[in-house]
Amino acid sequence: MLDKDKENKSKYMSDVNGIERMSFHEMEAKLEREVISQLKAEFPGIENSKSFSLLVDAVVNNIKNKDLEISEKREINT
């Protein structure tokens, strides 16, 4: 029963966020848009900075690296 609940939650999440239907490039673009939006919300006017694109790239890269580390740990533990 637990596996069925997990499967239902996974299906629900993929239906809600659409990640399963997104290509790699669409997911990259979505992550970048979310990072930009969050940075603008937390630091108003930061998008006018000369190094804003570098900051966005660094944050996106950091998120992807952490996600990769988590994925690798999961593979080791299973």
Side-chain angles (χ1 to χ4, degrees):
M1 185 66 181
L2 188 59
D3 287 338
K4 188 68 173 169
D5 288 340
K6 188 175 180 180
E7 184 179 314
N8 287 339
K9 287 178 184 175
S10 178
K11 181 178 177 344
Y12 172 77
M13 290 306 293
S14 67
D15 288 345
V16 169
N17 64 27
I19 287 178
E20 299 291 323
R21 297 182 296 271
M22 295 175 75
S23 72
F24 175 78
H25 296 291
E26 290 170 327
M27 287 177 20
E28 287 266 322
K30 181 179 180 185
L31 175 59
E32 188 170 316
R33 285 190 307 271
E34 290 174 358
V35 166
I36 290 170
S37 176
Q38 190 65 35
L39 286 171
K40 285 180 177 181
E42 290 188 33
F43 308 101
I46 196 167
E47 68 273 12
N48 299 324
S49 170
K50 289 181 182 180
S51 59
F52 182 67
S53 63
L54 292 173
L55 176 62
V56 170
D57 288 344
V59 172
V60 168
N61 187 49
N62 191 22
I63 291 170
K64 290 181 348 185
N65 284 338
K66 286 184 180 184
D67 185 52
L68 183 60
E69 287 175 16
I70 291 169
S71 295
E72 288 174 348
K73 286 179 184 176
R74 275 193 204 131
E75 287 178 7
I76 290 171
N77 292 331
T78 55

